[in-house]
Each structure stands twice: as C-alpha cells, then as structure tokens.
Amino acid sequence: MAQQKAVVLPKAKGDWLVDTVPVYTPGPGEILVKVHACALNPVDWKIQAYEIYINKFPAVHGVDIAGTVEALGEGVTGFAKGDRVLTQGVINEITHGGFQQYTLSNADVTAKIPDNISFDQASTVPLGLATAVINLYSAGLALTPPWADGGAGKYAGKPIVVFAGASSVGQYVIQVAKLSGFGPIITTASPHNAAYLQGLGATHVLDRALSGDALRAAVKQITSAPIEVVFDAVSGADTQNVGYELLAPDGTMVIVLANAVPEAKQTKDRKIQSVFANVNVPQNRALGRSLYAQLTGLLETGAIKPNRVEVLPNGLHGIILGLAKLREGVSNVKLVGHPQETA
Ligand SMILES: NC(=O)c1ccc[n+]([C@@H]2O[C@H](COP(=O)([O-])OP(=O)(O)OC[C@H]3O[C@@H](n4cnc5c(N)ncnc54)[C@H](OP(=O)(O)O)[C@@H]3O)[C@@H](O)[C@H]2O)c1
C-alpha cells in the first residue's frame, strides 16, 4: 500500500508529530486530492488543547484544503486528474484531513480553482466562507443566498454589524453580506486593517478598542435602521454582550464560540445562533453543494477574495510550529502549510 506523510495527533492531548499513514482509496463520490496547500484555523490547535471534536485516534486534522485531483472514485464526474481544486476537510475523519500529502474529498463539495487564484489563496477559503454562508443562509436566519434566484442584493438597506472583520471568518462575512446587498456593513478591527476591509466591502470600520458604549453610539450615528443581524466572528464575552445589546427586537446574533450572554440578559425575541460550520455534514450539505457549484465563478470574478497568506516553511513540520503561532494570535493573515515540501 502506498504511504504518505501526515501531521498526526496520536492520542487525546498528545503531541502533534509528522508520521507515515497510508494513501487512501477514493470511494464512490470521492476524490483523492494531492494537497499542495492547507490553511490553519484556530480549531486546529483547540482540538488538541481542549480535547474537542476528535475521538478517533490517530487523527489527522486540517479543514482548509487546496490541491490537484489525483484519482476519482466511482461515479465522480466533472473532474479530471490534475484539476486544481479546493475543498473542506471533515473533522474526526483521518481520510479527509488537510495536514497530509493526500486526502479524500467529497466531490459534491469540491470546486475547481480558477486560474487567477493560487493554491495558497484557495486554501484560505473553505472554513471561513462556510462559517459565513451556513450561518447567514441556513440555520436560524435562513436568508436567500446571493447566488440563488432573487438573492443578489436582496437585503439592500438592512444594516449588519460584523465583529472582528479582519478575522478570516469576518472577511468572508463582509464579502457575502455585500453580495446580499446589506448596507451599511459596519465592522470592528484594528485601525491598520480598516482600508483593507473597506476594500472587501465594509462601509464603516470601527476601532475594536472602543468601549461598548462608544461602539453603540458610533453605530447609532451611522444608521437609525434596526440592527437585525449581528455577526460576532470573534465571540469573546465582551463582544457578544455588546453585540446582543445592539440587536433590534426579532434580531439574530451569530456567534462562533459558546454563548457568553448571561441568561438574565437574554430576551425571547432576540436570538443567538451558532452552527457547526462544515459543508460536509448532512444538515449543511445541500447548501454546501449549492455554494461549491458557484465557488469557482465567485473566486474568478473577485466576488469572493481569499484571505491574505503567510506560507509556513518546512512542509508538514512547519504546520506544527504554525499551530503554536496561531495560538499566539495573528492579524489579517492566514497561515498556510505545504505538505508536499516535507523533508
Ligand atoms: N463555530 C464554527 O464552526 C467556527 C468556524 C470557524 C471559526 N470559528 C471560531 O471563530 C473564531 C475566529 O476564527 P478565525 O479563523 O476567523 O480567526 P483569526 O483569523 O485567527 O482571527 C484573528 C483576527 O481576529 C481579530 N480580533 C480578535 N479579537 C478581536 C476583537 N475583540 N475585536 C475585533 N477583532 C478581533 C483580529 O483583528 P485585528 O487584526 O483587526 O486586530 C485578528 O485579525 C475562532 O475562535 C474560531 O475558533 C468557529
């Protein structure tokens, strides 16, 4: 059986190590992808540090994947060996993780990478975009996606407030909100990221250091329309509480971590929503399929721009160091590993 190198988590709370695992055989509906770039996400270090999401060991993680088609499973059409593709990995499935040289992907949630986008850029897209799209266009909010009939620009005149616009997730929220017509698109970030976020579609960038009172006052000055959607892409207790206070009756606040708004403060009419943002799972698959059917075009036209990239040196070994670096925190950049460059 062919072998490959992978970043492996041998047991819960174990140490990441570069080890050898088999190259998998694609089953029906699957593609074997040679991984050229995989982006790192906060969840990658959290699964090891907090023992979350993974209960099968050894584990290979990594959900942001870009590479080339190596082999097709039964029934897969529309792809050929050598095609450049991007896809989202499946948490807790060693066969579908990005931190290895070859992985399986589900063909219906895999898209071709257009020529204007590099593997590195493409690898920054899957999880961040899925988090934006699943929260806005399914789950509780269930808005019409901008690529569906009547969806483009549908929410014109509706404000949205996005906490942590410079985060990977925040950048995709801003961009899909723009495609959906939301306006004003108000976000919070460090001032040095303001111009960049305006380039993505934010209409107003507020300093993340503002106090809750100052932030609420600034939002009021920008718009008198009710704030029916708040997307907290960082979801600390501080931002969640300010975000919840901004919400109009019948509004929804999306959070990406555990709910930190005290129960006593919550009212029935103002909802708090969080999802497991993976397009592979059954509850998200249909929306994921519709997204991936449009994704090549969205990237080709620049409607969706990938995150900025910092490439980690030393192949899979660099990913292990990258996980520690990500835990320290990054600003407006996605760390990306190159599994093929493993010595
Ligand atoms: N539930 C899910 O399925 C799901 C999916 C994806 C992500 N997540 C979670 O979502 C969070 C974000 O992930 P990510 O990959 O997007 O993060 P990231 O790109 O690593 O986030 C870094 C950015 O966060 C911004 N930031 C941090 N604290 C902030 C604050 N108080 N106010 C405004 N901006 C702040 C910083 O902005 P500046 O540089 O401007 O200072 C920085 O650029 C993580 O906790 C992750 O685990 C959950």
Side-chain angles (χ1 to χ4, degrees):
M1 187 184 276
Q3 303 284 301
Q4 61 162 331
K5 296 264 174 61
V7 174
V8 169
L9 186 63
K11 57 176 187 184
K13 290 222 163 179
D15 291 327
W16 300 104
L17 59 112
V18 175
D19 207 348
T20 301
V21 297
V23 175
Y24 319 107
T25 303
E30 292 178 336
I31 299 174
L32 179 66
V33 177
K34 182 174 185 178
V35 184
H36 292 289
C38 56
L40 278 59
N41 288 285
V43 70
D44 300 327
W45 64 259
K46 289 179 187 175
I47 58 161
Q48 187 271 350
Y50 306 144
E51 282 185 77
I52 51 170
Y53 295 134
I54 289 197
N55 59 16
K56 294 191 270 186
F57 297 95
V60 172
H61 196 57
V63 290
D64 274 343
I65 298 165
T68 47
V69 171
E70 187 70 13
L72 300 176
E74 194 190 314
V76 176
T77 56
F79 293 96
K81 187 168 179 193
D83 280 349
R84 303 166 73 242
V85 293
L86 75 162
T87 191
Q88 187 173 10
V90 184
I91 290 184
N92 209 24
E93 294 299 339
I94 189 169
T95 50
H96 288 66
F99 297 162
Q100 52 193 339
Q101 294 173 314
Y102 295 87
T103 184
L104 298 180
S105 80
N106 293 318
D108 60 335
V109 283
T110 299
K112 289 185 194 162
I113 304 171
D115 291 345
N116 58 319
I117 301 291
S118 67
F119 287 124
D120 292 336
Q121 291 175 310
S123 75
T124 73
V125 174
L127 176 62
L129 183 59
T131 310
V133 163
I134 294 166
N135 272 298
L136 291 175
Y137 306 119
S138 66
L141 273 166
L143 307 177
T144 308
W147 55 86
D149 272 356
K154 179 170 179 182
Y155 301 99
K158 273 190 188 294
I160 184 171
V161 177
V162 183
F163 285 85
S167 66
S168 175
V169 171
Q171 292 185 26
Y172 292 112
V173 175
I174 289 169
Q175 294 183 82
V176 294
K178 182 182 174 192
L179 297 177
S180 282
F182 278 95
I185 298 174
I186 304 166
T187 194
T188 64
S190 293
H192 69 266
N193 288 321
Y196 186 85
L197 299 181
Q198 280 160 349
L200 295 182
T203 57
H204 300 79
V205 183
L206 302 177
D207 189 341
R208 61 175 270 190
L210 289 180
S211 69
D213 285 345
L215 191 113
R216 277 191 299 275
V219 170
K220 246 194 183 142
Q221 276 219 323
I222 294 165
T223 180
S224 55
I227 308 292
E228 290 171 0
V229 184
V230 170
F231 200 123
D232 186 350
V234 58
S235 297
D238 50 350
T239 55
Q240 286 190 37
N241 278 283
V242 176
Y244 198 72
E245 286 159 18
L246 276 172
L247 264 191
D250 292 329
T252 298
M253 178 169 73
V254 173
I255 55 174
V256 291
L257 298 177
N259 185 347
V261 180
E263 257 177 50
K265 188 169 170 174
Q266 294 184 39
T267 56
K268 272 211 172 101
D269 58 335
R270 291 179 299 162
K271 296 172 236 20
I272 297 178
Q273 169 185 311
S274 76
V275 302
F276 183 66
N278 195 299
V279 293
N280 292 281
V281 299
Q283 67 270 29
N284 300 331
R285 194 68 168 256
L287 179 63
R289 218 175 270 137
S290 82
L291 169 65
Y292 273 74
Q294 302 298 324
L295 190 48
T296 311
L298 290 168
L299 292 167
E300 190 164 32
T301 58
I304 296 292
K305 294 184 187 64
N307 298 150
R308 293 172 62 233
V309 166
E310 179 183 324
V311 175
L312 298 163
N314 303 325
L316 293 165
H317 299 280
I319 290 176
I320 297 175
L321 296 177
L323 291 169
K325 182 170 177 168
L326 187 57
R327 190 171 184 171
E328 298 291 309
V330 294
S331 175
N332 189 6
V333 78
K334 199 93 177 158
L335 303 180
V336 172
H338 286 179
Q340 301 302 322
E341 294 169 10
T342 308

